[in-house]
Every structure is written in structure tokens, then in C-alpha cells.
Amino acid sequence: MQDLPLSLTFLLLLWSYELPGAHAARLTLRGRPRQRRVGNGLDRRASIVGNTSVGDAGDIDYSTDITLGGKKFSVLIDTGSSDLWVAGSVPNTQQTGRSAQVQYAVGEIEGPILTASLEFAGYTVDNQAFINASPSSSNPAGTGLIGLGPSSGSQVQSTIGSSAGDPTLDRIFQQDTSTPNFITVLLGRIRDPTDSPTGDLTVGEVLPGYDQITSQPKLPVSAVASSDSGNQHWQILLDADGIIGPAGDNIIDELNIETAVSSTSNKKQLTVVLDTGFSLPQVPSRVAEAFYKNVPGAALVNRADLNGQVWQLPCDKEVNVTFKFSGVKYPIHPLDTNLDLNLTDSSGKRVCVGAFQPTDLQNEPTFDMIFGMAFLRNAYTLINFGDFVDGSTSTTAAPFVQLLSTTNDSAAVHADFIKVRGNSPWTPIDATLGERLSARLPLIIGLSVAAGSLLLIAVGACCFFSARNRGQRRAFFRPAFFRARPSKYQQLHEPAPPEAHDLHLVGNQSAPPAYTNPWDARY
């Protein structure tokens, strides 16, 4: 996908330093607006994206400096992938004789797998394996990406075929077992009058003032089947009533939203991927419609400059939505739901776009939604790698995620929005009766067919028994020589014909697929 013109983007520069104590590290992030890149950048990984018709609007990069082979590189921070790659020459390397490729939605990275000494977040990792890519206009020399996702998605590890190819965080957790095997991410918001565009990434420590995150619900990471382990991401289950729309309504229930992940037992629970490599969340089309359809002046439009459809709406309309995980609510700041990309409509009027992008999923998906920066700016996030670290023992706990809401003061949030965008009140409304019935049309049709079948069976049974009773009454008044003949009707104590009670033939009684519990999928 091409980057968007005049998009609201920024590059977060990190200055890393080693904290007192050798077993934890913190990276401080500082943001600034980013210039538009030339050409198609590597914005998404093919393994995590369905078919969405719009580019990764409002793209945000999070980067830090690493030292590889004694040379400094600026690399993107990405929790949605697992490999380290850099573009340009790297000194003091060793050859492995292997090559690897990471496929993206647009373009790819490929090159020889080399090893070199790596310095990252205050840690030194000897013989870290990485892909050495050729520089290009999209990926200039001296840049790269460090993946912080599960090691099962690592192309380097798969190619090397041993722990020598493990990703960076696995190597850090393996070489120093006193380092708690978790990372945390806290992100600021650009153009927020009360929140500077800064952030923090920590390895093995919790930020001061955010200790409450350790008491938040532990959300198990949903494990995909081993046959699909390359698509394993930091993914968790949303509550069955976990999407609250602008009117305070339960979107999942109102519109009968169901998961597309076949292994999920509760079809009302959607699987969400948390990914710092995505700026904007991607949600089912009907969810995006529920958020934006009733906003005055909103329209689903096909914009050539955005490479597809997007919800376009007035910039001064405050849209408030909330998500729920394990019973805890996570409100989204309206500056994150209604995004200003400095765009205009066909008449030259300034317009904004809905940040929650409508998405059509691929076949047999392993997730339903991707929560990128527009969500993660509203929650301090802790990702515990658990036994996803390569070489973990059977006693290691399963991986989990903890979220601490950072957008809780609704009055302050409202004031922020008015200060930045102005105030144009509107009254959100629930889904109409027609929309609710339409969402349940397949169920209504199925129940109607079943009821009709039952009615026909009942009428047939009544006719049958009525005819038999009439025959018996006629037999009672016949002369004796007629009664002596065998009756052609069944007596009342004889069983009814199977057509009268074989109701299990109505409808589909096949059992639902088995549910894959977190980390029980090692088969």
C-alpha cells in the first residue's frame, strides 16, 4: 500500500540508556511529524492482514538506535513480526551460508543471514542472526526493523533451524534468566494538548507510576494451531459484549457480530491482535459502520488518494467508543477515533477520516481485528512472553497480556477534543429495528424454516390420527361379519410411523469445532 499524502504521521526517535541494575532496560521515545516517504514502504506483514481496501493511513513509525557489528542503525520497533533486518553494510559479521525472506503486503525484505554482536536496550547479544537487506528508496542504508513478536513467526529461526536463529528478545531472556521476560509499551499522542507525543518501551521493568498494570487481568494469548504457527501473534480475546458504540450500545449483540476464527468456542468473542507495526485499527466492516454511519455528514467514500474506501466525516464530530477485555473498559480518545489527515473533500472542505478501518478478512483467519496505535495510545501494554520464548521448560507459565487504561477522565478527554477540533454536538443513536433484524436474517430464516417444518409435521400427524379415529368409529357400528375381518388401521397402542416424531432431521445438528485454549495447541 502506498503512504497517504499529507498523512498525520510521525517518527518516534528513541534515546536508549542503561538503567541502574543490569536486569531491566527502558527506552524513552520522543515524537515529531514524519515526512512522507517516497514509494511503497513495508507497512504491513502479509501474514497478519486480510483484504482491506484502504492503505495504512496515518502511519506511525517507532524507531530506536541499535548497534550491530559496531555500526549504528535506526530500526523500527514492531511487535507484529519477529525478525531483525537492516539495510546496508554491516562490519564484523559472520556468514551462515543461508538466506531468508520476510514477505509483506507490499514488497518484501530478503538477503543473506549474517551474525554479529548486537547492542539493544542496554543489552549485548553475541552472534545475533539478522537479514542483511540491500538498500532501496523505501529502506535506505542505515535503517531496518527489529521484530518483538513470538519466535514462531521468525523466518530467520525457521531457516537456521536451531536456537542460533532465535530473535533478539528470546536471546536476551535466555542469556539472563534474572530478566523478567516481558516488555511494556506506553505511547503518547501527537497534537494532544495534555499529552506530549512521547512514549516508552521497557524490557523487564514497569514504568514508575504505572505499577497498577501488574494487578490488571491477565489476558491469555490465544495460541494458533501448530500447523499455522507462523501466524502466531500477540492476540487476545475481546469480551462477548466488548464493543461499545457511540450511543453506549452493545455493538456485538445489536448487529449479531460473530468471530471468523473457527477455533473460538464463544462466537461472540472476537480475536484481537496487538501490533505496534499498525497505526490504525482494522475491524469488521459492520463495526466500522456502527461507529461512523450515524455521524452527521459522514459517508463511506472511495478516495483515490487513500487507495480505497474510508469513512469520511467532519473533523469537529466527537466519536466515543469503548472496548472491553475481561470486564475492564478501555475508552478510546476521540482524537484517535476521528483522525485528521489534512484532507479535503471534492468541494475543498476540510474533512477527517474514521481511524477504525473496515476490513474484509481472508479465508480461515486466525484473528478478527488488529489494534494498532489508535488503540494502543489508550492503554499501557505489558506483554509477557511466557513459554513462547524458545527453549522454555514445561514449568514456564503461558504468555499473557495486561492492559492499563490511560484514557479514563471523560471530562478531560472532551476538553482536549474541543480545544483541538472545536465543538459540533450530535446525538448518537442505537441500531434501528430494521438493522437488528437484518443482522439476524439468516437466523430468522432458519427458525422460520424449522417452524414451518414442525407445523407441517404436526398437521400431518393430526390428519393421520384423525383419519384413524374415524376408521375406528366406523368399525364399531359395522355388522359383525365386517368387524370380524382384520382392520387395516394401526391400533392406538402401536407405535406411530417415524415421520410423526423424527424431528432430529430438522436443522443442522453438527457439533461446533473444538476451542483452542491458550497454549494447549502443541500438537
Side-chain angles (χ1 to χ4, degrees):
M1 299 290 181
Q2 293 182 345
D3 285 330
L4 303 180
L6 300 177
S7 62
L8 176 60
T9 64
F10 62 86
L11 174 65
L12 293 179
L13 302 177
L14 290 79
W15 277 260
S16 63
Y17 58 91
E18 189 168 359
L19 296 176
H23 308 306
R26 173 179 173 182
L27 303 172
T28 301
L29 296 79
R30 186 174 67 192
R32 62 178 172 82
R34 188 189 64 168
Q35 297 296 322
R36 181 186 176 191
R37 286 182 294 178
V38 178
N40 294 330
L42 298 176
D43 297 321
R44 303 174 182 169
R45 290 154 304 284
S47 63
I48 198 173
V49 180
N51 297 317
T52 180
S53 62
V54 65
D56 197 3
D59 193 15
I60 300 172
D61 289 342
Y62 292 87
S63 67
T64 185
D65 288 337
I66 66 171
T67 300
L68 192 59
K71 182 178 178 179
K72 184 177 291 186
F73 290 84
S74 176
V75 295
L76 304 181
I77 298 295
D78 184 14
T79 60
S81 65
S82 308
D83 289 305
L84 169 65
W85 61 263
V86 296
S89 62
V90 182
N92 305 313
T93 60
Q94 294 78 44
Q95 299 285 338
T96 67
R98 306 288 185 88
S99 296
Q101 177 187 87
V102 180
Q103 185 69 46
Y104 292 81
V106 175
E108 61 190 21
I109 280 292
E110 62 180 333
I113 299 176
L114 308 178
T115 65
S117 177
L118 170 68
E119 295 179 17
F120 168 68
Y123 295 93
T124 298
V125 181
D126 294 329
N127 300 315
Q128 175 63 53
F130 66 96
I131 300 174
N132 190 204
S134 299
S136 66
S137 59
S138 300
N139 304 291
T143 65
L145 180 147
I146 185 167
L148 307 179
S151 60
S152 60
S154 170
Q155 299 301 312
V156 171
Q157 183 196 62
S158 176
T159 302
I160 296 295
S162 71
S163 60
D166 283 346
T168 301
L169 284 178
D170 282 42
R171 298 288 307 281
I172 289 174
F173 297 143
Q174 291 163 358
Q175 73 180 17
D176 187 352
T177 56
S178 65
T179 299
N181 60 342
F182 68 82
I183 62 173
T184 76
V185 179
L186 178 69
L187 302 175
R189 182 178 299 103
I190 196 168
R191 298 181 184 176
D192 187 333
T194 60
D195 187 11
S196 62
T198 63
D200 291 276
L201 169 70
T202 72
V203 179
E205 73 162 325
V206 172
L207 289 172
Y210 292 87
D211 295 336
Q212 291 182 7
I213 194 170
T214 59
S215 62
Q216 299 305 301
K218 293 181 179 180
L219 308 173
V221 174
S222 299
V224 303
S226 58
S227 59
D228 202 17
S229 60
N231 283 327
Q232 180 68 64
H233 299 283
W234 301 124
Q235 51 200 63
I236 54 180
L237 288 176
L238 194 68
D239 287 358
D241 59 348
I243 303 179
I244 303 173
D249 47 333
N250 179 351
I251 298 298
I252 293 178
D253 183 63
E254 279 193 350
L255 300 181
N256 196 33
I257 304 293
E258 293 189 347
T259 180
V261 180
S262 61
S263 61
T264 305
S265 60
N266 186 344
K267 295 306 177 184
K268 294 296 184 180
Q269 286 194 275
L270 307 186
T271 297
V272 176
V273 170
L274 304 177
D275 187 357
T276 62
F278 270 73
S279 305
L280 306 182
Q282 294 188 352
V283 299
S285 297
R286 288 191 295 157
V287 173
E289 182 180 38
F291 288 172
Y292 302 116
K293 178 181 178 181
N294 295 318
V295 176
L300 183 63
V301 299
N302 194 330
R303 294 188 60 116
D305 53 353
L306 300 185
N307 299 320
Q309 287 188 327
V310 67
W311 280 98
Q312 184 172 282
L313 56 154
C315 294
D316 57 0
K317 297 299 182 182
E318 182 177 340
V319 182
N320 292 291
V321 302
T322 298
F323 297 94
K324 287 175 61 179
F325 293 94
S326 193
V328 180
K329 293 182 178 180
Y330 297 89
I332 306 303
H333 199 295
L335 290 175
D336 289 324
T337 57
N338 184 359
L339 192 65
D340 185 1
L341 301 181
N342 293 320
L343 300 175
T344 58
D345 61 15
S346 57
S347 65
K349 183 180 179 180
R350 177 170 167 261
V351 292
C352 289
V353 298
F356 288 83
Q357 300 179 336
T359 303
D360 296 320
L361 291 174
Q362 58 192 354
N363 294 330
E364 300 296 327
T366 57
F367 65 93
D368 297 290
M369 302 189 288
I370 304 170
F371 279 5
M373 293 303 98
F375 172 83
L376 294 174
R377 281 193 292 268
N378 297 276
Y380 180 41
T381 304
L382 183 152
I383 300 175
N384 189 300
F385 281 54
D387 58 5
F388 273 13
V389 176
D390 188 30
S392 297
T393 66
S394 59
T395 60
T396 306
F400 60 85
V401 171
Q402 291 176 291
L403 300 171
L404 179 65
S405 177
T406 58
T407 307
N408 298 311
D409 189 337
S410 58
V413 165
H414 176 66
D416 285 351
F417 186 85
I418 291 177
K419 186 172 184 178
V420 175
R421 302 283 185 82
N423 187 20
S424 179
W426 65 289
T427 302
I429 59 175
D430 294 346
T432 64
L433 177 60
E435 290 171 334
R436 298 187 191 201
L437 291 177
S438 176
R440 291 167 171 79
L441 189 58
L443 176 62
I444 294 172
I445 293 174
L447 292 176
S448 300
V449 171
S453 300
L454 289 173
L455 180 61
L456 289 175
I457 292 173
V459 170
C462 289
C463 292
F464 175 80
F465 287 117
S466 176
R468 181 163 59 184
N469 290 337
R470 285 197 302 271
Q472 289 177 337
R473 287 194 294 272
R474 287 195 297 270
F476 178 80
F477 289 107
R478 286 175 184 172
F481 68 92
F482 283 116
R483 294 202 301 270
R485 296 178 182 179
S487 173
K488 66 178 180 180
Y489 297 106
Q490 295 180 355
Q491 298 300 312
L492 291 178
H493 66 273
E494 294 182 8
E499 295 83 8
H501 57 72
D502 196 9
L503 303 185
H504 71 276
L505 298 176
V506 179
N508 182 6
Q509 301 295 322
S510 61
Y515 173 60
T516 302
N517 286 317
W519 203 241
D520 67 358
R522 291 187 173 180
Y523 45 79

